[in-house]
Amino acid sequence: MARSTARKRALNTLYEADEKSQDILSLLDERIAQPGAQTPLPDYAIEIVRGVAEHRREIDRTLNECSTGWTVRRMGVVDRNILRIATWEILFNDEVPDKVAIDEALALAKTLCDDDAPAFIHGLLSAVCTARDNAEIAANAEEEVAEMDDQSEDGTSPEAVETLDSGDSSSPSDAVDAATPSAEPQQTVE
């Protein structure tokens, strides 16, 4: 079954749990055991619902931080669950490119939400991607600073580590020897 269909089925389950104020995973277990008139839930729909349930606090916190003027609780039930699915895919599912997660969310919003929802959802999901990217950049910068601090504490200079990291087989002392002027006079050719 196509992932687009799986997303729609996951949305139905998340929407129902939200409307009934029911635990997402208990409703999912019911839907798996008794699919009713519908075909059994696709594996990817189950993965989405479990992923959203497992990471819901972080997903909602991220959406609240990236949204201007709207909290997740104030959003329409369909809108917020479309956003939760796409945010889970962006933050926790490396198999789905960000652009695909956003496009799929927009496709759902265009068919299930009011006319203003697609623009809002697109803007908010773009902000989620930017926030995630900025957090990764900051984390990488912190790691680099920590590595430099560790190197300065053990007496290894960052330049020597760069030489080693670049695949140069010479030792750091070779690099120092090469940079130290020789006591022997150099002959020049005229």
Side-chain angles (χ1 to χ4, degrees), residues 32 55 66 70 72 80 122 125 131 145 150 153:
I32 292 171
H55 299 285
C66 293
W70 287 89
V72 171
R80 77 172 155 244
H122 187 268
L125 292 175
V145 168
D150 290 345
E153 287 176 12

Side-chain angles (χ1 to χ4, degrees), residues 4 82 100-113 118 121:
S4 296
I82 290 172
V100 172
I102 293 170
D103 287 347
E104 290 289 333
L106 293 176
L108 287 169
K110 287 175 184 173
T111 60
L112 300 172
C113 303
I121 287 171

